[in-house]
Amino acid sequence: MSFYTSNSLFPTATIPIPNGFPVQINEKPKNKIIFLDVTPARTPKPATPNAVVPLTNNLTNPAIYNDIIYENIKPVFILLRIMGVLPLTRPSPGVNHFQIASPSMLYSIVVFISLISYVLYLSLHKVQILKTNEGKFEEAVIEYLFTVYLFPMIAIPLLWYETRKIAGLLNAWVDFEVAYKQLAGRALPIKMYKKSMIIAIIIPVLSTSSVIVTHVTMVHFRPMQLLPYVFLEILTYILGGYWYLICECLSICATILAEDFQQALRNIGPAGKVSEYRALWLRLSKLSRDTGIANCYTFTFVSLYLFLIITLSIYGLLSQISEGFGIKDIGLVLTAICSIFLLFFICDEAHYASHNVRTNFQKKLLMVELSWMNADAQTEINMFLRATEMNPSQISLGGFFDVNRTLFKSLLATMVTYLVVLLQFQISIPDESQNYPKEDEFVNETALITEAITTPSTHVTTITTVLTTLAKKKKKN
């Protein structure tokens, strides 16, 4: 390496330049100060003892609890768990399980065994029916009714069996809530807590009042005999309230999803948004089908039980309608009206939920203007329509039958057929008073026979007439 020291541009007092590069380049300051335009973090102020801290609401802050559906129906679930018919285990919010070896299941078994033991004890002291002059037929119908009133005990083991599926349904609702929040950027706006609380309070009060009215008008109950009937009456109608709330959640979610989808198409309208809403609707449609599957055996039994109660109650009313309206008929009328109302409510709510999940979305899709959309968006809309046609949203009880207004109409038609047959059968049975001729008629017929025997042969015609009359009466009897 050579150094050029004779260069006039650089004084000799400086350090020579190796290979023509000045040494000053390596002598730049390394710690250069750089100013960044960043706002410094604020120091948090200590909380004062008088500060107001906002309360977290589980229904409006799903970042903490994503189990919005359970929180809205919580009062009814708590009542079912207190009655020992829904042994659901919740280790954490948003997680639902069914475990056989759990305190909830042990509590449910103890309650059920206590109920059966109490009913068996009361069976030794049979219910005394009010005796009137209307005959034994209506009293027999009432005895059958108070035996049928104990049938809802069968629904308790059925609910135990289906608790696992109900827990899976609640977990699927949590997944739907999370997916909706990711798509819409907000929590699922469902506000049914007050309605659920009213149902959990009103149904026990009305059921207890109904049993007391029946006690006063139809039978001689002792107070201790009221307990199993009150318990089973509350169970029947609280199941109807639970069914109403689940179907109402489906209806509200379908309406919210349809409005959000229409708003998204109006403002943005890309193909990606349509596919995301289609995936969310498929989740909702599956929830609608799973609602019927998770409650299959329980509500199949409830529907048949209500059908039997309605038939017996109306039959008891019509069988003695010629005797006039009595005090016992008040309980029969009340039982028939409440059972018909509950059966219609179950069928109508399921029909309304299925209609909102499927038909409302199809209307929104058919009203979409496709002319301004690109080819991808139009394809997604057509696939959405095809998905609503190929994925049924009817609430079916395990494939046995669809729960809708057609089911209610079919059950009523079948009930009318049975009532006509039973009433014809009752009319064809003769009364005891018609089995034997009256005393006056017997004396008159004996006198005619005696007179005919003592008369000459010219009165043979009279004897023939008397014998013919007796033969006709014998055939009638």
Side-chain angles (χ1 to χ4, degrees):
M1 180 182 294
S2 61
F3 294 94
Y4 298 91
T5 59
S6 60
N7 193 345
S8 61
L9 296 178
F10 294 93
T12 57
T14 59
I15 302 174
I17 302 174
N19 293 335
F21 292 97
V23 184
Q24 286 86 354
I25 296 178
N26 296 329
E27 296 179 356
K28 286 185 178 181
K30 296 181 179 180
N31 298 326
K32 186 177 180 180
I33 299 174
I34 300 174
F35 296 96
L36 299 177
D37 188 12
V38 178
T39 305
R42 296 181 179 179
T43 304
K45 297 181 179 180
T48 60
N50 297 327
V52 179
V53 180
L55 297 175
T56 57
N57 189 353
N58 298 344
L59 306 183
T60 58
N61 192 0
I64 301 176
Y65 298 111
N66 289 321
D67 205 355
I68 299 176
I69 299 298
Y70 181 87
E71 292 293 333
N72 278 273
I73 316 178
K74 189 175 182 178
V76 173
F77 279 124
I78 290 176
L79 182 58
L80 288 173
R81 296 174 72 179
I82 291 175
M83 296 177 69
V85 298
L86 191 66
L88 198 66
T89 303
R90 289 175 56 84
S92 62
V95 179
N96 304 276
H97 294 298
F98 171 72
Q99 298 176 354
I100 297 179
S102 64
S104 299
M105 189 64 197
L106 180 61
Y107 170 78
S108 300
I109 292 174
V110 171
V111 172
F112 184 61
I113 292 176
S114 302
L115 178 64
I116 292 180
S117 302
Y118 196 77
V119 170
L120 291 177
Y121 171 75
L122 293 180
S123 64
L124 300 177
H125 305 81
K126 292 184 178 180
V127 176
Q128 296 180 358
I129 309 300
L130 289 173
K131 302 297 182 180
T132 60
N133 297 325
E134 297 175 1
K136 296 182 179 180
F137 188 79
E138 185 181 2
E139 294 168 0
V141 172
I142 296 174
E143 289 180 354
Y144 292 146
L145 266 177
F146 279 91
T147 302
V148 174
Y149 284 157
L150 299 175
F151 282 5
M153 286 191 300
I154 303 173
I156 298 177
L158 293 177
L159 266 172
W160 292 351
Y161 175 75
E162 293 184 332
T163 302
R164 189 185 304 276
K165 295 185 288 184
I166 294 174
L169 178 65
L170 292 175
N171 293 330
W173 270 111
V174 174
D175 297 337
F176 176 81
E177 294 163 15
V178 174
Y180 177 83
K181 185 184 177 184
Q182 292 176 353
L183 177 61
R186 59 170 182 168
L188 195 61
I190 295 181
K191 299 179 181 179
M192 297 179 58
Y193 185 82
K194 292 183 179 179
K195 189 179 295 184
S196 178
M197 181 64 73
I198 292 173
I199 290 174
I201 295 174
I202 292 296
I203 285 182
V205 173
L206 293 181
S207 300
T208 305
S209 303
S210 174
V211 174
I212 292 175
V213 170
T214 304
H215 153 61
V216 173
T217 58
M218 294 175 64
V219 296
H220 285 306
F221 273 135
R222 289 190 295 271
M224 61 179 301
Q225 291 176 317
L226 289 173
L227 295 179
Y229 291 100
V230 169
F231 180 88
L232 296 174
E233 188 83 358
I234 293 174
L235 174 61
T236 303
Y237 287 93
I238 202 65
L239 286 176
Y242 155 74
W243 181 264
Y244 160 74
L245 292 172
I246 289 291
C247 293
E248 191 70 12
C249 286
L250 285 170
S251 301
I252 293 175
C253 289
T255 304
I256 292 172
L257 200 60
E259 293 175 354
D260 290 350
F261 175 68
Q262 189 176 20
Q263 192 71 18
L265 288 181
R266 186 177 301 169
N267 296 335
I268 304 174
K273 277 288 182 183
V274 179
S275 63
E276 290 176 355
Y277 275 99
R278 184 178 74 246
L280 197 59
W281 181 87
L282 289 174
R283 283 178 179 268
L284 186 63
S285 178
K286 187 176 185 300
L287 284 172
S288 177
R289 296 192 299 271
D290 289 346
T291 299
I293 296 173
N295 302 278
C296 167
Y297 300 108
T298 301
F299 280 91
T300 299
F301 171 79
V302 169
S303 301
L304 296 178
Y305 166 74
L306 292 175
F307 170 78
L308 181 59
I309 286 292
I310 294 169
T311 305
L312 283 178
S313 301
I314 297 179
Y315 181 43
L317 286 171
L318 296 179
S319 62
Q320 298 294 331
I321 195 172
S322 60
E323 303 291 337
F325 191 81
I327 189 172
K328 288 190 296 185
D329 297 330
I330 298 176
L332 293 174
V333 169
L334 182 63
T335 301
I337 291 176
C338 293
S339 300
I340 291 174
F341 177 76
L342 179 59
L343 183 60
F344 171 77
F345 207 64
I346 291 173
C347 297
D348 184 68
E349 282 300 321
H351 179 90
Y352 182 67
S354 301
H355 175 80
N356 283 336
V357 170
R358 183 176 182 179
T359 308
N360 282 358
F361 257 97
Q362 289 179 338
K363 289 181 179 179
K364 300 291 183 184
L365 291 171
L366 291 173
M367 293 172 63
V368 171
E369 181 64 34
L370 300 177
S371 59
W372 61 275
M373 292 186 178
N374 54 23
D376 293 338
Q378 293 180 10
T379 303
E380 290 291 341
I381 292 292
N382 292 328
M383 291 178 64
F384 203 159
L385 272 173
R386 190 175 301 174
T388 57
E389 294 175 358
M390 296 180 63
N391 290 274
S393 59
Q394 286 82 8
I395 299 178
S396 174
L397 295 180
F400 292 109
F401 48 83
D402 294 338
V403 187
N404 49 30
R405 293 173 182 171
T406 305
L407 172 64
F408 181 74
K409 181 185 69 176
S410 302
L411 289 176
L412 286 186
T414 307
M415 181 190 67
V416 170
T417 303
Y418 277 108
L419 286 174
V420 170
V421 172
L422 290 173
L423 290 174
Q424 287 179 344
F425 179 74
Q426 180 192 356
I427 293 172
S428 65
I429 299 176
D431 295 336
E432 294 180 357
S433 60
Q434 296 178 355
N435 293 336
Y436 301 99
K438 295 182 180 179
E439 185 178 355
D440 296 338
E441 294 179 356
F442 182 77
V443 172
N444 294 334
E445 291 169 359
T446 304
L448 288 174
I449 293 174
T450 304
E451 182 181 358
I453 293 175
T454 55
T455 53
S457 59
T458 54
H459 297 287
V460 175
T461 306
T462 306
I463 297 174
T464 306
T465 304
V466 171
L467 293 177
T468 304
T469 303
L470 291 175
K472 288 181 179 179
K473 289 184 178 182
K474 187 175 181 180
K475 288 181 178 180
K476 289 182 179 181
N477 294 332

